[in-house]
Amino acid sequence: MRVILKGKWLIVIAWILAAVLLFFSSPDMAGLLREKGQPSVPDDYTSVRAGKLLDQMNEQKGFGDTTDIALVFHNPAGLTDRDMKEAERAINKLEKENEKQRGIKQMLSPFEHEELENELISEDGKTILVSLVVDRMDRSAEKLSEDLYGAVSDTNLEHYYTGQELIDEDVIRTSEEGLKRTELITVAFILIVLIAVFRSVVAPVIPLVTVGISYIVSQSIVAFLVEYVNFPLSNFTQIFLVAVLFGIGTDYMILLFSRFKEELSIRENVPDAITETYRHAGKTVLYSGIAVLIGFSVIGLSEFNLYQSAAAVAVGIVVLLAALFTIVPFFMAVLGKNIFWPAKKSLEHRPSRLWTFAGRMSFARPLLSLIIVAAVTVPFIITYDGGLSYNSLEEIGDDYKSVKGFEIIEDSFGPGEAMPVTVVLKNDEKMNTTEYMGLMENISAELEKVDGVAEVRS
């Protein structure tokens, strides 16, 4: 610690330079999220293998890199003749658009395929469904959405595009907005807690600066790892980093500052107080940090990349511990007792009346203490039903167009019309024979018997 205190200015300057250089030179995290941040499972899972077979089929059909998009026209009061003409006009415009502009490879609509009218116009007469196969043409999901909406921008009828790719884009957008809110709320709560603990306007700033630098450096390192060594990434990686780094970083600094405050009251000079602080409280911080580091590192051994992405926190813990043992001593050495300004009370530690009372009551009346704890916890335990939801749309709400489109299809046709389950069969010999057609019919009939299957098309 003496060495760190002697070179404190050089160390802090090095941290600032590293943070600035990494921030401006690291790959764009938003771009990496769109490219590599979608939840995925290992290649040996059947859904992944089926997806690869579908890609092969699309290549054979000349579709190339395509995605399925659903377009819905909707009038909650019921579609009028005028609405039907407006929808038909929009669909005709889509068909006439240059393929190089929109990339539409295939379209199924009730106006061109009358035999599908009952399938593509809802029974309640409120919704028209149009199925599109669209060539990505190296476009991002955001650009793809802009192009498609641009083609029907003059349509005077409520309409939305939806599909897995557009929903994934909205998930990323909502996670970015959620990250901003998380950062603001985290900073606000940390300020409130630290001001309440230390009665100081200086002490709360130090954790924010220290953890803020740690977060910038950690995120930049993770971005480099994702770009060059395919480190796991998800929409939650940055939120994990913010929540954990600011959470435990603040906790550790409260411990360090509390010990430093005590040492200042009994030591002759600030360097001695810092050395004793880290000799005792520093060990606790180090051991606790190592435990958290191990925990998040082990998560990286899971198969699901969403969980693997939490391993980024392990990178953040390493950076945070380095900052706690180098940046925080700098502030302690430079500010000394002024860290706790404008608190006028003695720096000597005094027992808390609240916790003294709580401890004595728990020891003297353990049964009463258990009853109080039970009164708080039991209602939550009883009312929790353990229910799980696998609906990813619940994460982003219905403020996004892709979600609105999906919900309209779900209400009018059922969720399977927006994102049907696809069964893929591959054989070494051709299957366009009477024998195989009969086999397909038998398979379709068996699938229709499965609970939750509304209809099978083959």
Side-chain angles (χ1 to χ4, degrees):
M1 184 53 63
R2 296 285 182 181
V3 175
I4 292 174
L5 291 176
K6 287 181 180 179
K8 57 184 180 292
W9 287 102
L10 289 176
I11 291 173
V12 168
I13 292 172
W15 270 105
I16 295 173
L17 289 175
V20 172
L21 289 174
L22 286 171
F23 179 78
F24 286 105
S25 63
S26 63
D28 177 46
M29 187 64 84
L32 291 174
L33 276 173
R34 287 169 171 80
E35 181 183 352
K36 302 180 179 182
Q38 298 306 314
S40 61
V41 294
D43 290 343
D44 57 343
Y45 279 70
T46 55
S47 60
V48 178
R49 291 159 62 188
K52 291 180 177 178
L53 290 176
L54 285 173
D55 290 339
Q56 292 175 11
M57 289 174 62
N58 286 333
E59 289 179 5
Q60 291 173 2
K61 291 179 181 180
F63 284 178
D65 185 19
T66 59
T67 184
D68 294 326
I69 302 291
L71 168 62
V72 293
F73 297 93
H74 181 66
N75 185 342
L79 294 166
T80 64
D81 291 340
R82 182 177 180 180
D83 291 334
M84 298 293 285
K85 291 178 180 179
E86 184 70 7
E88 185 174 11
R89 185 187 68 81
I91 292 170
N92 289 335
K93 184 180 179 182
L94 264 178
E95 286 184 315
K96 292 176 182 178
E97 286 284 351
N98 191 313
E99 185 178 297
K100 293 182 179 179
Q101 289 180 304
R102 311 300 176 186
I104 298 172
K105 292 287 189 178
Q106 189 179 78
M107 179 186 298
L108 293 177
S109 76
F111 303 106
E112 281 196 351
H113 303 82
E114 294 182 0
E115 69 277 10
L116 297 177
E117 186 173 322
N118 292 333
E119 305 291 342
L120 300 179
I121 298 179
S122 63
E123 291 184 5
D124 58 15
K126 298 179 180 180
T127 308
I128 298 171
L129 175 63
V130 181
S131 176
L132 306 174
V133 176
V134 183
D135 191 338
R136 291 187 178 90
M137 297 168 58
D138 295 326
R139 292 174 291 183
S140 65
E142 184 178 10
K143 177 61 177 173
L144 179 64
S145 178
E146 288 178 2
D147 288 346
L148 291 175
Y149 274 107
V152 292
S153 59
D154 60 345
T155 303
N156 296 317
L157 176 62
E158 185 180 358
H159 59 280
Y160 303 101
Y161 288 100
T162 189
Q164 187 62 59
E165 193 148 335
L166 301 184
I167 290 174
D168 289 343
E169 172 64 21
D170 285 340
V171 169
I172 292 174
R173 287 173 55 197
T174 192
S175 67
E176 291 172 344
E177 294 172 4
L179 175 63
K180 294 176 183 177
R181 288 195 296 270
T182 300
E183 291 171 342
L184 292 174
I185 293 171
T186 301
V187 170
F189 271 105
I190 287 174
L191 286 173
I192 293 171
V193 170
L194 292 176
I195 290 174
V197 170
F198 294 109
R199 305 290 195 276
S200 168
V201 296
V202 178
V205 176
I206 299 173
L208 293 178
V209 171
T210 304
V211 180
I213 292 175
S214 301
Y215 173 67
I216 291 172
V217 172
S218 303
Q219 180 180 260
S220 301
I221 293 173
V222 169
F224 278 115
L225 292 174
V226 172
E227 176 73 16
Y228 296 109
V229 300
N230 206 28
F231 193 84
L233 178 69
S234 77
N235 300 324
F236 301 101
T237 298
Q238 291 170 285
I239 294 178
F240 286 155
L241 279 171
V242 170
V244 177
L245 292 189
F246 278 91
I248 68 171
T250 303
D251 186 32
Y252 291 161
M253 272 183 268
I254 288 176
L255 175 62
L256 291 172
F257 282 171
S258 296
R259 186 65 188 231
F260 181 54
K261 191 175 182 181
E262 292 182 25
E263 295 295 340
L264 283 175
S265 64
I266 59 177
R267 302 292 168 184
E268 294 183 358
N269 56 65
V270 172
D272 288 343
I274 297 173
T275 301
E276 288 302 311
T277 295
Y278 277 88
R279 182 173 296 166
H280 300 286
K283 288 182 180 180
T284 303
V285 169
L286 179 62
Y287 297 151
S288 176
I290 290 174
V292 178
L293 171 64
I294 293 172
F296 279 98
S297 298
V298 170
I299 291 177
L301 300 177
S302 62
E303 290 188 352
F304 190 24
N305 74 330
L306 178 62
Y307 300 145
Q308 290 175 345
S309 68
V313 177
V315 176
I317 297 298
V318 173
V319 177
L320 176 63
L321 288 175
L324 291 174
F325 282 81
T326 53
I327 297 177
V328 175
F330 165 82
F331 285 109
M332 289 178 173
V334 172
L335 298 176
K337 296 180 180 180
N338 292 325
I339 286 178
F340 307 103
W341 183 87
K344 297 181 179 179
K345 294 183 179 180
S346 170
L347 293 176
E348 183 180 355
H349 176 73
R350 295 179 181 179
S352 168
R353 293 180 181 179
L354 174 62
W355 298 117
T356 300
F357 168 76
R360 287 176 178 174
M361 190 192 78
S362 299
F363 184 76
R365 289 178 171 75
L367 182 59
L368 177 61
S369 301
L370 288 174
I371 292 173
I372 293 173
V373 172
V376 174
T377 59
V378 169
F380 294 99
I381 295 173
I382 294 175
T383 56
Y384 176 64
D385 60 3
L388 297 175
S389 172
Y390 299 96
N391 185 0
S392 60
L393 298 186
E394 292 180 353
E395 299 176 11
I396 60 178
D398 55 4
D399 294 333
Y400 295 89
K401 292 181 178 179
S402 65
V403 179
K404 289 180 179 178
F406 183 90
E407 290 179 343
I408 289 172
I409 296 173
E410 184 177 33
D411 293 339
S412 297
F413 298 95
E417 290 292 345
M419 294 182 186
V421 173
T422 303
V423 180
V424 187
L425 302 174
K426 184 179 180 180
N427 196 16
D428 293 334
E429 59 184 58
K430 292 183 178 181
M431 293 188 284
N432 56 346
T433 64
T434 303
E435 178 184 357
Y436 280 114
M437 290 299 128
L439 178 61
M440 296 303 141
E441 287 187 20
N442 291 335
I443 293 174
S444 299
E446 291 300 318
L447 288 173
E448 284 184 334
K449 298 176 183 178
V450 177
D451 290 340
V453 175
E455 185 180 0
V456 177
R457 299 171 188 164
S458 63

